[in-house]
Amino acid sequence: MTGLLYVVGLGPGSGEQITQEACLALTQATDLLGYGPYVARAVALGAAKTAIAHETDNREELDRARHALTLAQQGRVPVVVSGGDAGVFGMASAVFEAVSEGPSSWREIDIRVLPGVTAVLAAASRIGAPLGGDFCVISLSDNLKPWDVLAKRLRLAAEAGFVIALYNPRSLARPDQLDRGFAVLRDVLSGETVVIFARAIGRPGERIESTVLAQAEGASADMSTLVLIGCAQTRQIERPGRPPWFYTLRRIP
Ligand SMILES: C[S@@+](CC[C@H](N)C(=O)[O-])C[C@H]1O[C@@H](n2cnc3c(N)ncnc32)[C@H](O)[C@@H]1O
């Protein structure tokens, strides 16, 4: 192997939800590459003080990956950082795409992908056990895939009875996306289906709201929100003066 490159998931936000191996990789970094807020988080989480920060815009993922691979070949120890898990709508696939399109010598680099707590797991653990049965994750961003594909995946996931976790539910550029998604789901699911908005889990401004599909509004979400849609086996436990718990039965009665 020639060169070493880490691709690291930093977890959802809280410094307590990063793995020990991710922390260790950060201490070995000569270079940190990622979207600015994640690089800042890596520094706060104890990255080597000598590491050079290469903060780039989130739309430059392939360039960032190529830069990291080039640094690794030069004998440095670049660490590419993502929020949550780097393999879930994160930087890991951009790194491998760059390898597959790049010089054959990049295939000699020792690329180590270190997992992180992805947003759906962080959100689920706050509210009970909503992922007890089968579930799927879908990114609602149509920057990278056409709306038709997205709508089809939503409809089929709902028909199949999955609990559905929606990443990237809404942005300034796509203010209506989530409402369009809810409209697709309403064609298939009962209006009583549980919908959870889990915002900024593990970060300042954390907020959790629950409603039912018939009343769910896209305006309840922003780009820091994970939206969880329950299934027919998802149950709610009311608690006086406290937020309810949610869980999904592991069996289909
Ligand atoms: C580009 S994706 C990155 C996902 C990340 N790689 C992961 O594994 O969590 C960004 C989306 O993840 C979700 N997300 C990330 N961190 C979150 C958090 N702390 N709380 C709630 N949702 C979060 C939001 O839906 C956000 O729009």
Side-chain angles (χ1 to χ4, degrees):
M1 291 279 175
T2 315
L4 171 63
L5 186 162
Y6 287 103
V7 187
V8 168
L10 300 176
S14 156
E16 291 161 4
Q17 291 187 337
I18 180 172
T19 68
Q20 287 187 2
E21 70 172 352
C23 281
L24 195 59
L26 292 179
T27 65
Q28 294 170 27
T30 61
D31 299 82
L32 296 166
L33 297 97
Y35 179 44
Y38 299 142
V39 169
R41 204 194 294 171
V43 170
L45 286 168
K49 293 203 174 355
T50 48
I52 299 171
H54 306 271
E55 302 176 16
T56 43
D57 191 279
N58 230 2
R59 286 162 296 188
E60 298 161 12
E61 292 187 347
L62 265 181
D63 284 345
R64 184 190 296 155
R66 291 188 197 105
H67 186 191
L69 289 156
T70 304
L71 289 169
Q73 265 201 326
Q74 292 168 353
R76 301 183 65 83
V77 183
V79 177
V80 176
V81 292
S82 272
D85 181 274
V88 180
F89 311 125
M91 273 301 296
S93 61
V95 169
F96 290 104
E97 187 178 347
V99 169
S100 81
E101 293 173 355
S104 59
S105 58
W106 281 357
R107 298 176 187 218
E108 297 294 315
I109 296 171
D110 181 4
I111 300 175
R112 299 186 194 168
V113 182
L114 309 184
V117 177
T118 187
V120 65
L121 301 185
S125 67
R126 285 287 200 267
I127 58 174
L131 308 180
D134 297 336
F135 70 97
C136 68
V137 297
I138 296 177
S139 169
L140 218 55
S141 166
D142 66 355
N143 292 338
L144 302 173
K145 60 182 176 247
W147 169 256
D148 288 353
V149 172
L150 242 174
K152 182 176 179 185
R153 289 183 182 181
L154 282 174
R155 185 168 42 78
L156 293 179
E159 281 177 6
F162 289 113
V163 166
I164 304 170
L166 299 179
Y167 284 66
N168 300 308
R170 195 159 177 260
S171 72
L172 289 178
R174 299 177 287 107
D176 303 327
Q177 195 89 334
L178 183 54
D179 282 317
R180 291 175 76 191
F182 285 147
V184 172
L185 294 173
R186 282 187 193 111
D187 282 344
V188 180
L189 297 172
S190 150
E192 292 305 304
T193 304
V194 165
V195 178
I196 315 277
F197 297 93
R199 185 181 184 281
I201 302 300
R203 299 189 216 145
E206 174 173 326
R207 191 178 68 229
I208 296 179
E209 289 171 8
S210 62
T211 183
V212 291
L213 186 56
Q215 288 164 22
E217 290 181 11
S220 301
D222 62 10
M223 275 308 277
S224 297
T225 306
L226 186 287
V227 183
L228 208 54
I229 321 286
C231 70
Q233 281 73 45
T234 304
R235 305 280 185 268
Q236 181 166 343
I237 303 175
E238 295 296 347
R239 297 188 298 161
R242 291 175 165 227
W245 280 318
F246 297 92
Y247 70 101
T248 299
L249 291 174
R250 295 176 63 192
R251 64 181 182 284
I252 309 269

